[in-house]
Amino acid sequence: MELFDLPLIWAFIIGFGIIMYVLMDGFDLGVGILFPFAPNEEARDTMMNSVAPVWDGNETWLVLGGAGLLAAFPMVYSIFLPALYIGVFLLLAGLIFRGVAFEFRFKARTSRYLWNWAFAGGSTVASFAQGAVVGAYIQGFETANGVYVGGALDWLTPFTVLTGLGMLAGYALLGSTWLIMKTEGNLQQWAYKITLPLLLAVLVVFGIIGVWTPFVDEMVRERWFSNLSIIWVLPVLTLLCAIQIYRSVRDRKDGMPFVATMGLFITTYLGLVVSRWPYVVPPEYTLWEAASAYESQLFLLLGLLFVIPIVLVYTAWTYWVFRGKVRAGEGYH
């Protein structure tokens, strides 16, 4: 007898893991995107030191979401991977380059500029690939009898290129507001200077995506326009977050720009969820149809219920220990 709706519980857990990854790894990817444009090498040292204590722990959420997705919804993997092999490869390759650059840049002398580019390039490629994968999810996948039957490059379209650029702009905004919160002096002033242009870029790209999306998929169009009184609350909340970012940057607040930017990402993410719910493999398969056996989900869920609190506690502890400003010349390596 099935006492709980385990696919629904797993969908919530995986969705939580995804948004945690986007928020917590997004800002250090954003720092990498901004890396080539930093005022000088000392500023780059400070930028990297601001994320050095937390970047690897942030990726725990990516592992948690990916592993949970395989365990709870194996059909998603069987369709997503053939459809998105190249995009996922670019994402992982970018994360690898970025991670290696973190460790080697601090030791390098004559080759430091190469690791600067590896850090920036890896962050940029990983961010763009994430956005393109999200765009491919919005588009949907061509399937037959639970098998992907599309081409290897079907994920790469003008729409997914735009969502990739939107993710780049969004992560760069997260990175600049993180630097506002974590740095001071000239670097902080530089971050203040670039935040509003980045906010404008995010709003423009997200606006184009919002207008384009109903024409990409008929189901999304019907969902949006048949539930206007509910769904359009989310764009309003997104706009309010953008206004708060503008006001807090104008007033030279330290922490509020970053908090408001996280709010902007959360409302956008909720808009994506509402647009596609309950389809985990759009446009055909719901989360119940794609779920693994009830017994398998229950067994894995019992273990995960112990893991998640531990991850939350050590994540919170890490951010508490390394709270405050990061100053030039200070570091953790």
Side-chain angles (χ1 to χ4, degrees):
M1 181 179 178
E2 299 182 359
L3 299 178
F4 305 102
D5 190 346
L6 290 186
L8 186 62
I9 294 173
W10 270 103
F12 174 79
I13 292 173
I14 294 169
F16 176 74
I18 291 173
I19 190 59
M20 287 294 288
Y21 170 75
V22 167
L23 294 177
M24 301 184 71
D25 205 38
F27 67 79
D28 61 64
L29 284 169
V31 168
I33 294 168
L34 297 173
F35 215 60
F37 310 103
N40 50 53
E41 197 66 17
E42 183 181 63
R44 292 187 186 94
D45 290 341
T46 306
M47 290 168 69
M48 188 167 276
N49 283 329
S50 73
V51 296
V54 297
W55 76 271
D56 45 357
N58 292 342
E59 293 188 354
T60 301
W61 297 103
L62 178 63
V63 176
L64 180 64
L69 193 64
L70 175 61
F73 304 105
M75 179 184 284
V76 174
Y77 262 73
S78 68
I79 294 175
F80 276 24
L81 283 184
L84 301 171
Y85 266 134
I86 298 175
V88 172
F89 171 79
L90 291 174
L91 166 61
L92 296 178
L95 293 177
I96 290 170
F97 270 89
R98 185 186 63 140
V100 173
F102 254 112
E103 302 303 326
F104 280 79
R105 181 183 178 276
F106 286 102
K107 304 296 184 182
R109 292 295 179 263
T110 57
S111 62
R112 175 170 285 199
Y113 72 98
L114 294 175
W115 297 114
N116 286 347
W117 283 109
F119 180 59
S123 300
T124 301
V125 169
S127 300
F128 177 83
Q130 284 183 33
V133 166
V134 171
Y137 174 78
I138 296 173
Q139 286 183 159
F141 302 93
E142 186 179 352
T143 61
N145 300 318
V147 178
Y148 177 69
V149 295
L153 292 176
D154 284 3
W155 64 277
L156 190 61
T157 65
F159 180 76
T160 61
V161 169
L162 183 63
T163 56
L165 294 175
M167 190 67 82
L168 278 174
Y171 279 172
L173 179 62
L174 265 176
S176 68
T177 54
W178 168 263
L179 293 175
I180 288 173
M181 184 174 67
K182 294 293 291 182
T183 65
E184 58 187 11
N186 292 335
L187 179 55
Q188 186 188 50
Q189 294 306 311
W190 174 75
Y192 276 124
K193 181 180 178 181
I194 65 173
T195 293
L196 293 184
L198 287 171
L199 174 61
L200 178 61
V202 168
L203 292 177
V204 169
V205 176
F206 281 19
I208 296 173
I209 292 172
V211 173
W212 195 343
T213 298
F215 298 97
V216 170
D217 186 85
E218 183 178 349
M219 188 192 76
V220 174
R221 181 167 63 250
E222 292 177 356
R223 177 73 58 86
W224 282 18
F225 291 102
S226 62
N227 298 277
L228 283 176
S229 59
I230 299 174
I231 287 182
W232 289 101
V233 171
L234 295 172
V236 171
L237 292 176
T238 301
L239 185 59
L240 291 175
C241 289
I243 292 172
Q244 185 59 47
I245 295 170
Y246 170 78
R247 294 178 61 183
S248 56
V249 169
R250 181 196 61 188
D251 297 338
R252 290 301 192 259
K253 303 290 186 181
D254 273 10
M256 185 51 67
F258 183 68
V259 173
T261 303
M262 288 196 296
L264 188 149
F265 267 84
I266 290 171
T267 55
T268 304
Y269 177 73
L270 290 176
L272 172 63
V273 171
V274 170
S275 297
R276 279 305 191 184
W277 182 264
Y279 293 90
V280 292
V281 184
E284 296 184 19
Y285 300 102
T286 67
L287 59 95
W288 294 279
E289 294 169 327
S292 60
Y294 183 87
E295 293 78 11
S296 299
Q297 288 194 338
L298 181 61
F299 175 76
L300 293 165
L301 180 63
L302 294 176
L304 199 61
L305 291 178
F306 288 97
V307 172
I308 290 179
I310 294 173
V311 174
L312 287 171
V313 168
Y314 84 63
T315 299
W317 177 249
T318 300
Y319 278 88
W320 174 256
V321 169
F322 294 102
R323 67 192 184 278
K325 298 285 187 179
V326 176
R327 296 172 176 82
E330 296 180 351
Y332 308 110
H333 280 67

